[in-house]
Amino acid sequence: MPDRQMESVFDALDRFQIEIPSWGFANTGTRFGKFLQAAAATNLAEKMSDAGMVHSLTGACPTIALHVEWDFPRGEADVPEAEHLAAEHGIAPGSINPNLFQDQIYKLGSFGNPRAEVRQAALAHVYESIRIAQRLGSRDISLWFADGSNYPGTANIRQRKRWFEECLHACHERLSANQRMLVEYKPFEPAFYHTDIADWGMALLLARAAGERAKVLVDTGHHYAAQNVEQIVAWLLDENMLGGFHFNDRRYADDDLTLGSIDPYQVFRIFHEIQMFEWERGNVTGIAYMIDQSHNLKGKMEAMIQTVMTAQELMAKAALVDRAALAVHQTQGDLVRAEQCLKDAFSTDVRPAIRAWRAAHGLAEDPMEAFRQSGYLERATRERAEKNAAQATSYA
Ligand code: AFD
Ligand code: MN
Ligand code: MN
């Protein structure tokens, strides 16, 4: 690989950090059940340990996304423990995720619930999440709503929109000056007739109405098969409304498959749009790159390392696009040469350069192999197998 390309890869990897989700290390499943993993994390300490291990191997994941209900069962009272565990495991608290979808009161929604007392309870939960973030020094409050309805006529869509505007604005007013709120959209599931924040346009309008520190969160799995996700990303970039990503891949719906496992070229094109924007505008976008996965079948730790390595590889490929030449070809309408700029970069094997980058940073050249040789999985299995087995629900 020519030195100039090597430098581009090194620069891209130096600047690329990706947040790992606490929920990606615990046993989860589908609505059809769970396949328990003996080494899965069973508490916040083990999640922090797993996240710290992934970061120590990859050098790219200094923060962990936290879910308030699952990681702070006592709410704010659990902040000191979270701070201690993060410091102990060499990881920092990242985005804070309120849980507005599991409590029984949210049966007909949270911010969109027709009962004012439920909307107030949801607001109180987000206010506490904002306080938790402030105490942990977290920049982002990451908001996803399961709100919607399953049958035509059962919800007043416009009224729910207004309740969301009110509630999101109220939350925005509680943010400190250096905090942001990220509004995530999802076309469907668990609601199957309408979802209140179903697409990027709705999220954009709601974020704009909430205030200047509200941005849009793009979960790459939250799109229909035909949607051009990189075009959405380009528009949000141009509107200064791209807060960040939840990375995973999809074949049919919000399948939470491994990033790049189905369509790596789409992820490359997303990363290209970001790097082209930064090349043109010269400013760093402050994008929150975050993983949103919790694999039911793959080993939790291997799945997380695999995603991080894939994200690094695709970001490094996108860094190889000859953007100056591309700009000329686009201007001249030289279609094949323009397209070839992307195809050349995407088809370049950047793995040797990434291995060199890792070696230059004192990291194992193959984090996955280093993990397998480390004995970490065996230790976690010994320590956690009994606790995980106890989660088994007998269906007899
Ligand atoms: C589910 C939702 C959404 C959310 C995530 C974490 O679909 O992506 O961000 O849970 O709460 O995947
Ligand atoms: Mn998500
Ligand atoms: Mn999702």
Side-chain angles (χ1 to χ4, degrees):
M1 177 178 278
D3 287 351
R4 181 181 54 79
Q5 286 195 324
M6 195 73 119
E7 282 165 28
S8 297
V9 168
F10 271 49
D11 175 60
L13 295 179
D14 284 345
R15 294 188 298 125
F16 183 62
Q17 292 182 338
I18 187 167
E19 186 165 290
I20 39 188
S22 66
W23 56 94
F25 298 111
N27 273 318
T28 53
T30 70
R31 57 184 173 146
F32 303 105
K34 275 185 191 179
F35 293 106
L36 299 175
Q37 299 189 22
T42 64
N43 57 40
L44 185 57
E46 292 168 358
K47 292 174 189 174
M48 291 283 194
S49 173
D50 291 357
M53 181 64 175
V54 172
H55 179 46
S56 69
L57 289 169
T58 63
C61 318
T63 59
I64 178 173
L66 298 167
H67 227 285
V68 177
E69 283 296 297
W70 305 331
D71 299 325
F72 299 86
R74 295 181 306 146
E76 271 190 272
D78 287 332
V79 166
E81 174 69 357
E83 282 180 311
H84 165 71
L85 291 171
E88 182 185 343
H89 294 290
I91 198 89
S95 61
I96 301 299
N97 294 256
N99 187 315
L100 295 161
F101 50 87
Q102 275 182 301
D103 194 298
Q104 291 298 307
I105 61 169
Y106 297 136
K107 180 176 177 181
L108 296 181
S110 58
F111 283 4
N113 195 294
R115 292 170 53 201
E117 62 271 27
V118 175
R119 298 196 300 273
Q120 287 308 313
L123 278 172
H125 177 69
V126 176
Y127 295 164
E128 181 177 31
S129 301
I130 291 171
R131 291 194 301 273
I132 289 172
Q134 286 162 345
R135 291 179 60 184
L136 290 171
S138 292
R139 176 186 65 174
D140 292 338
I141 304 291
S142 191
L143 294 165
W144 172 68
F145 301 88
D147 288 51
S149 64
N150 282 348
Y151 299 96
T154 58
N156 182 323
I157 293 172
R158 286 172 290 102
Q159 175 62 68
R160 293 173 71 101
K161 169 180 175 289
R162 287 194 292 274
W163 285 328
F164 266 91
E165 287 164 357
E166 284 167 24
C167 291
L168 287 169
H169 180 70
C171 294
H172 184 278
E173 296 313 287
R174 302 270 180 133
L175 296 175
S176 53
N178 64 343
Q179 282 186 306
R180 307 184 311 171
M181 55 197 276
L182 307 182
V183 180
E184 182 176 2
Y185 59 90
K186 179 174 179 178
F188 74 99
E189 190 198 33
F192 291 107
Y193 168 66
H194 100 278
T195 294
D196 288 301
I197 310 179
D199 68 23
W200 72 276
M202 297 173 196
L204 174 67
L205 290 170
L206 286 171
R208 277 233 170 98
E212 63 180 11
R213 290 195 300 284
K215 304 287 182 185
V216 176
L217 173 61
V218 177
D219 184 307
T220 48
H222 289 185
H223 299 90
Y224 296 114
Q227 280 185 277
N228 184 325
V229 182
E230 65 269 27
Q231 180 181 7
I232 295 169
V233 169
W235 271 67
L236 292 173
L237 278 168
D238 209 52
E239 293 293 326
N240 188 28
M241 289 300 287
L242 179 65
F245 294 91
H246 272 176
F247 287 122
N248 46 69
D249 209 341
R250 57 177 302 290
R251 182 68 190 85
Y252 299 102
D254 183 23
D255 313 322
D256 285 345
L257 298 174
T258 302
L259 178 72
S261 59
I262 306 298
D263 189 351
Y265 193 36
Q266 179 182 71
V267 182
F268 165 89
R269 297 194 304 268
I270 289 170
F271 287 161
H272 162 64
E273 287 299 333
I274 293 165
Q275 293 197 45
M276 192 76 175
F277 176 84
E278 291 182 340
W279 177 76
E280 286 176 11
R281 306 286 183 87
N283 59 340
V284 178
T285 46
I287 293 170
Y289 296 104
M290 304 183 281
I291 297 166
D292 180 5
Q293 73 181 44
S294 185
H295 289 291
N296 195 23
L297 305 181
K298 283 182 176 176
K300 301 277 179 185
M301 287 292 287
E302 284 200 356
M304 200 62 75
I305 293 167
Q306 185 185 34
T307 296
V308 175
M309 291 175 71
T310 300
Q312 287 181 310
E313 186 175 347
L314 293 169
M315 186 58 91
K317 285 174 178 279
L320 296 183
V321 173
D322 185 341
R323 290 180 281 272
L326 176 61
V328 172
H329 299 325
Q330 286 176 343
T331 306
Q332 293 176 349
D334 192 333
L335 305 182
V336 173
R337 284 193 176 88
E339 184 190 7
Q340 204 56 43
C341 285
L342 269 62
K343 291 169 71 70
D344 286 346
F346 183 65
S347 60
T348 303
D349 184 359
V350 293
R351 290 173 298 179
I354 297 175
R355 283 196 290 272
W357 177 81
R358 290 189 178 117
H361 287 73
L363 297 163
E365 292 191 19
D366 180 346
M368 186 69 82
E369 194 50 36
F371 170 70
R372 289 169 178 158
Q373 298 299 326
S374 69
Y376 186 91
L377 182 62
E378 290 74 14
R379 279 195 310 279
T381 301
R382 282 194 304 275
E383 292 163 7
R384 306 174 188 176
E386 198 172 323
K387 290 187 285 184
N388 280 306
Q391 291 181 22
T393 311
S394 72
Y395 290 99

